Amino acid sequence: MSCLRDSIRQIDPFLQELIEAIENASTLTVLILSAWRLARVLAVRIVEEVLIERAQRPTQWSDCPKCGKRLHSKGFVRRQITSVIGIIRWKRRVGRCPHGCAIGQIAPLDNALGLLPYQRTSVELQRLGCLLAIFVPFETAAVLLNCLISVKVSATCVWHWIQKAGQKAMNRLNDQLAELATGQLPLMESLDEAIGMLPLLMGADGVKVPFRPEGGKGGTVWREVKVAVLARLGRRSNSNAPQLRQRRLVAVLGKIDALRSRLWLEALRQGVLTAPQVVWLSDGGVGFWSLYTACFAFYAIGILDFYHAVQNLWKGAKAWLDGRSRKARQWFACARHRLRHGEANIVLNDIAAALKSDGLPETAHKALKNLYEYLDTHEYHIQYQKFRELGLPIGSGMVESACKWLIQQRFKGVGMRWSETGFNHLLHLRLAWVNGRFEELFALEDSPN
Ligand SMILES: [Zn+2]
């Protein structure tokens, strides 16, 4: 009755065994798994068959890149690649220079197949390994590959894939930054018309990551990674609650200037020049506000994270009014309420009056002066009543949750310490993933040549 199974059965005894395992399977699960095993074996056979066939075709030898003499065939040599369907083996012709130039073995079929000289795993397998290692440690990624597709590779192998793909992502970014530096604007990412009409929200924050010390010996070195988020602020259709759309992340291990160029590049891509409204949300970090002033003040409404402002109010109240006394708590509650409801000027007047009062201890004076300057500097960024009326968020929670996802979740596991290069490679792959640019790093489609 079944032609397919019968014809496969006839090919060789090993396939016959596999077919029997399928036919003898009692449960559906065993049936499916047995069929899957056969499918993988058949897939490897078909690929090998095609490769062997192609290897038999006449080879066009190129000239030696050193002496220009036409290369000679040295016969067929084995090649093996580990792939998502298993290990594929075939033989193809390799050529050498007849003058013996040190150019190694040249295999035209490898080139045509897009294989590199020392490549041992295929690109679709590397992609899968990288995808896993974006979310889980390298060891776990290797274990998962074995569980999911029965391919055995080491954690080190997965680590190498990450280095390669991460470097590619970094090179792309550096090319784009170089173009931007010459005045060439990046293409805007294509947006749904409805999403393009939403306000563009931006914010930035710093988060510490554990690094190995230089030279490898000694304690952990904590270094700051700067993370920025860009998103369109939408509303959920059922609850009208805020919802971020088209979320994009930018991050850099480095100084604020390094973040600035990257953030500006992404802001241009996300339509900072055409968005109906642009909003910058950040806590008190001076560097981030100077970045805002330098790049975005012209386009964006700046909002100081409300909770950060409130923390500073409390610090001032404690220093001024006897620690956690009832008086301090009362003033704080009142000032907080005023700040939230557009009466920041009254809070500032309170503080100014307190600063003039006699007998104010030196430490309290200093704390209140800091608070005054902080609120005064951010005068335009603390108009919370107005921001709420405009439907804008007043807390920088979206930045914090981005930091948690991007950094905390993968880079701060138990006992983890990073090298700068290793960190950067994985960071850029995580960015590529979250920004929808991961697939670009792996050539999975046929190129036109
Ligand atoms: Zn030569």
Side-chain angles (χ1 to χ4, degrees):
M1 170 89 176
S2 157
C3 326
L4 184 57
R5 267 176 290 147
D6 284 345
S7 40
I8 294 171
R9 208 192 297 270
Q10 282 159 16
I11 302 170
D12 85 28
F14 179 59
L15 293 181
Q16 198 169 330
E17 269 173 43
L18 293 176
I19 297 261
E20 271 160 27
I22 296 170
E23 287 170 342
N24 295 335
S26 51
T27 65
L28 182 63
T29 303
V30 177
L31 175 59
I32 290 168
L33 290 175
S34 317
W36 182 237
R37 226 181 126 212
L38 173 68
R40 288 168 51 89
V41 171
L42 285 177
V44 168
R45 294 242 178 136
I46 290 171
V47 171
E48 286 178 347
E49 208 176 274
V50 170
L51 290 176
I52 290 161
E53 211 176 273
R54 288 193 192 176
Q56 293 301 325
R57 293 180 195 164
T59 304
Q60 294 289 326
W61 294 106
S62 55
D63 294 335
C64 168
K66 286 207 170 153
C67 69
K69 193 85 182 154
R70 179 65 48 92
L71 301 179
H72 277 190
S73 172
K74 287 282 165 184
F76 285 85
V77 173
R78 281 176 198 288
R79 178 95 206 224
Q80 158 175 336
I81 284 279
T82 304
S83 77
V84 289
I85 51 175
I87 298 173
I88 296 159
R89 298 177 176 91
W90 73 103
K91 282 179 170 181
R92 79 289 190 239
R93 277 192 204 97
V94 300
R96 287 211 177 95
C97 171
H99 287 174
C101 295
I103 55 165
Q105 294 182 344
I106 305 283
L109 181 58
D110 292 5
N111 285 338
L113 293 169
L115 282 176
L116 298 173
Y118 297 99
Q119 189 178 337
R120 294 165 65 182
T121 53
S122 58
V123 172
E124 85 294 326
L125 178 62
Q126 296 174 12
R127 172 191 166 273
L128 196 56
C130 286
L131 193 51
L132 293 171
I134 282 177
F135 300 97
V136 298
F138 303 114
E139 291 78 11
T140 317
V143 171
L144 287 176
L145 274 181
N146 193 14
C147 290
L148 293 168
I149 56 168
S150 315
V151 170
K152 284 198 177 86
V153 294
S154 65
T156 314
C157 179
V158 177
W159 182 87
H160 279 294
W161 296 341
I162 289 280
Q163 306 315 307
K164 194 174 108 185
Q167 188 59 48
K168 198 168 173 185
M170 288 177 75
N171 293 346
R172 283 193 172 215
L173 176 61
N174 288 332
D175 290 348
Q176 289 155 353
L177 288 171
E179 276 181 13
L180 182 63
T182 64
Q184 202 178 323
L185 295 189
L187 280 183
M188 215 185 115
E189 222 171 84
S190 66
L191 278 181
D192 254 25
E193 203 180 330
I195 292 180
M197 297 308 292
L198 298 172
L200 174 64
L201 237 65
M202 290 190 292
D205 203 357
V207 53
K208 295 271 205 256
V209 173
F211 283 87
R212 285 198 288 273
E214 265 179 58
K217 280 188 184 165
T220 301
V221 180
W222 291 85
R223 296 175 63 186
E224 190 186 65
V225 178
K226 295 176 176 69
V227 180
V229 191
L230 305 95
R232 297 292 181 142
L233 177 65
R235 301 263 157 206
R236 285 182 200 283
S237 54
N238 49 357
S239 63
N240 206 35
Q243 183 186 30
L244 297 183
R245 313 285 300 271
Q246 184 85 8
R247 193 175 75 146
R248 295 288 179 265
L249 302 187
V250 175
V252 68
L253 172 66
K255 300 233 161 77
I256 201 83
D257 286 342
L259 178 70
R260 183 161 71 183
S261 51
R262 285 160 175 77
L263 182 53
W264 181 239
L265 174 72
E266 196 56 47
L268 288 169
R269 278 178 176 158
Q270 300 309 319
V272 70
L273 303 179
T274 53
Q277 191 174 43
V278 183
V279 179
W280 171 269
L281 246 166
S282 186
D283 67 14
V286 176
F288 296 116
W289 279 102
S290 68
L291 189 159
Y292 163 77
T293 309
C295 286
F296 298 111
F298 182 73
Y299 308 95
I301 297 175
I303 301 178
L304 177 69
D305 176 50
F306 180 67
Y307 306 96
H308 193 266
V310 163
Q311 267 177 14
N312 277 292
L313 272 186
W314 177 235
K315 262 194 231 160
K318 271 197 308 189
W320 171 28
L321 299 164
D322 262 352
R324 297 163 185 279
S325 67
R326 190 155 163 247
K327 223 173 150 189
R329 282 201 302 270
Q330 271 175 351
W331 182 81
F332 166 71
C334 176
R336 178 192 156 113
H337 189 263
R338 289 204 151 122
L339 198 62
R340 169 69 184 77
H341 294 284
E343 294 177 340
N345 56 330
I346 300 180
V347 179
L348 275 164
N349 289 344
D350 269 9
I351 301 169
L355 280 169
K356 282 184 204 142
S357 62
D358 292 332
L360 188 67
E362 183 57 35
T363 48
H365 190 272
K366 202 175 160 208
L368 277 185
K369 193 160 167 285
N370 285 345
L371 176 61
Y372 187 91
E373 278 165 6
Y374 168 79
L375 293 174
D376 192 45
T377 307
H378 287 296
E379 186 188 354
Y380 296 109
H381 314 140
I382 56 174
Q383 306 175 64
Y384 298 114
Q385 180 73 24
K386 185 181 129 192
F387 302 147
R388 290 317 288 256
E389 281 161 14
L390 288 170
L392 300 175
I394 59 171
S396 55
M398 66 155 196
V399 188
E400 279 140 38
S401 64
C403 288
K404 272 195 193 118
W405 183 84
L406 186 68
I407 305 296
Q408 236 92 336
Q409 206 183 63
R410 179 68 179 86
F411 293 107
K412 294 171 90 164
V414 178
M416 279 185 188
R417 294 201 304 175
W418 298 86
S419 70
E420 180 165 336
T421 317
F423 170 81
N424 272 327
H425 286 153
L426 182 56
L427 175 73
H428 284 80
L429 275 195
R430 279 172 75 79
L431 287 169
W433 171 257
V434 73
N435 291 337
R437 294 166 198 155
F438 178 75
E439 301 300 344
E440 297 168 9
L441 302 170
F442 301 89
L444 294 190
E445 274 156 35
D446 256 349
S447 58
N449 69 2

